[in-house]
Amino acid sequence: MRKLLATTAIAAVALMALSGCSTRTDTTGGSTAAAGFPADSVIGVALPSKTSENWVLAGGLFEDGLKTAGFKGDVQYAGASTTVKDQQDQISAMVTNGAKVIIIGAADGGQLGTQVKAAKDAGATVIAYDRLILNTPDVDYYVAYDNFKVGELQGQALLDGLKSRKAAGPYNIELFSGSSDDANSAVFFNGAMSILQPKIDDGTLVVASGQTDIKQTATAGWKAENAQSRMDSLLTSTYGDKALDGVLSPNDTLARAIITSVKAAGKPIPVVTGQDSEVESVKSIMAGEQYSTINKDTRVLVAQAIKMAQALQKGEAVDVNDTKSYDNGVKIVPAYLLPPVIVTKANAAEAYANDPKLAPLTK
Ligand code: BGC
């Protein structure tokens, strides 16, 4: 069912891109949607710490894009150590400064209830960016790449990569997931497991460590060192005389940490998935090390978030294309989901053709 929804959402986005039409608009969303606000208002952007390259890129793109749109942008990152508290304080300051829209890439999606309530009480509209904000009625919209689809693509890439190296299983694999304070982590993992679980059940895939529960596979803080040390332990405990054929990695930073660990153990590099199209991972894919990544063009995601702010400024309805998938525990948050693209060495040149930073790496 969820797969159907994801597929339908992708189809809708594709159709929209082809026809140039806008998707259905939300008329029930933010209470401030109809009012509009002055064109030079403050728009707050609260980003998490820079745990992956996409967040680094987003800050600059928001600064530039909001300025071009005529807004006063207030773009903040949570620090690396007191991440949650930093972000809570930053959002509170944005409310005090009269921000009309607050766009949030949550450091911890479950810890912002008080701050987004204050934002709503002050008349601001709250947009969750990339990561959903949980257990609060006070988030108006969500804009992200289709996270479940990301997971499905990762699961399928792992299977495809394994088959390309050895025609038939069983294949020994290990599973990694993201940080448990990021709502995306479970969605990525569930998407991947929707593809992998049937193959585990029929014996094609063997998780030799037995660690298949998301709690066992989680990587606190999305930190490379945590993935690397878990991989080190798995290699010692389970792969002394066994081949490791593949690893499900939820993103590129962790993929490279996993590869570093395997190399240090003197083992052949398994098929390793990723996400984000980070420069070092695209290089690694072209060099035949990391197997796959996902293209979630940050430029497009930031532009879509700014489009939402512009619609709100004019008092127009905000474009959404999914009103079913993102239940935050209190409400279903109307979402605009963009389609992620799987990238391997085979399609990298095509996938990054319009990305001036990545295209040269694929030549
Ligand atoms: C994002 C990923 C990113 C991860 C770690 C997730 O919420 O969707 O693109 O790799 O956070 O920063």
Side-chain angles (χ1 to χ4, degrees):
M1 181 57 181
R2 179 59 185 82
K3 188 173 178 199
L4 190 71
L5 289 180
T7 316
T8 313
I10 300 301
V13 172
L15 200 68
M16 191 195 72
L18 283 175
S19 64
C21 288
S22 91
T23 42
R24 188 158 42 86
T25 49
D26 174 53
T27 48
T28 60
S31 54
T32 53
F37 51 78
D40 63 349
S41 296
V42 174
I43 307 293
V45 181
L47 297 171
S49 55
K50 299 173 182 173
T51 45
S52 50
E53 223 166 81
N54 54 326
W55 298 114
V56 180
L57 294 172
L61 290 164
F62 271 119
E63 297 268 7
D64 295 349
L66 289 170
K67 196 165 175 200
T68 306
F71 294 120
K72 292 188 194 82
D74 178 6
V75 181
Q76 305 287 339
Y77 282 98
S81 49
T82 53
T83 318
V84 176
K85 170 89 168 63
D86 276 357
Q87 188 166 62
Q88 290 171 334
D89 292 349
Q90 286 162 350
I91 295 169
S92 300
M94 288 168 190
V95 174
T96 309
N97 292 340
K100 296 294 182 202
V101 179
I102 304 186
I103 298 169
I104 303 172
D108 180 334
Q111 304 279 338
L112 296 175
T114 307
Q115 290 71 30
V116 295
K117 178 169 191 315
K120 292 299 296 172
D121 289 349
T125 299
V126 174
I127 300 175
Y129 170 89
D130 193 329
R131 299 173 171 176
L132 194 57
I133 301 171
L134 303 176
N135 302 322
T136 167
D138 298 314
V139 50
D140 297 289
Y141 302 102
Y142 180 44
V143 60
Y145 280 88
D146 184 330
N147 300 301
F148 193 84
K149 184 75 194 169
V150 167
E152 288 181 316
L153 291 171
Q154 290 172 331
Q156 191 56 51
L158 182 58
L159 281 181
D160 294 347
L162 291 168
K163 274 189 205 142
S164 74
R165 293 196 187 170
K166 192 169 76 169
Y171 305 101
N172 293 328
I173 64 163
E174 291 299 331
L175 308 171
F176 282 71
S177 56
S179 192
S180 53
D181 52 11
D182 176 355
N184 284 348
S185 297
V187 186
F188 296 147
F189 192 71
N190 293 341
M193 290 308 269
S194 73
I195 304 290
L196 301 177
Q197 190 64 54
K199 301 290 178 187
I200 295 173
D201 294 343
D202 75 11
T204 307
L205 300 176
V206 179
V207 182
S209 69
Q211 298 183 15
T212 54
D213 190 281
I214 190 164
K215 288 198 190 79
Q216 297 170 302
T217 62
T219 310
W222 285 102
K223 288 200 173 120
E225 60 263 36
N226 293 336
Q228 192 168 332
S229 66
R230 176 163 176 258
M231 191 71 246
D232 289 346
S233 310
L234 289 170
L235 289 169
T236 311
S237 64
T238 312
Y239 291 94
D241 53 4
K242 216 182 242 152
L244 172 64
D245 299 310
V247 180
L248 175 76
S249 164
N251 83 356
D252 285 349
T253 306
L254 306 189
R256 296 196 304 278
I258 289 161
I259 291 171
T260 301
S261 164
V262 175
K263 277 182 168 174
K267 291 250 180 202
I269 299 172
V271 174
V272 183
T273 61
Q275 157 171 219
D276 293 335
S277 298
E278 296 197 339
V279 168
E280 288 310 315
S281 281
V282 173
K283 286 184 190 164
S284 172
I285 288 170
M286 297 317 290
E289 297 202 334
Q290 188 175 323
Y291 179 72
S292 65
T293 184
I294 303 270
N295 194 12
K296 304 195 306 184
D297 194 328
T298 308
R299 297 170 301 176
V300 180
L301 187 57
V302 168
Q304 192 64 39
I306 293 176
K307 246 179 96 181
M308 285 181 162
Q310 287 176 304
L312 291 162
Q313 186 274 313
K314 295 196 194 91
E316 291 170 0
V318 170
D319 261 358
V320 294
N321 60 13
D322 180 295
T323 50
K324 292 191 181 86
S325 304
Y326 284 93
D327 185 339
N328 80 343
V330 172
K331 69 187 272 197
I332 296 186
V333 184
Y336 194 100
L337 301 181
L338 290 160
V341 176
I342 188 75
V343 184
T344 63
K345 193 173 178 177
N347 72 335
E350 185 197 338
Y352 303 130
N354 76 351
D355 189 324
K357 184 184 54 174
L358 299 178
L361 305 177
T362 66
K363 298 277 169 340

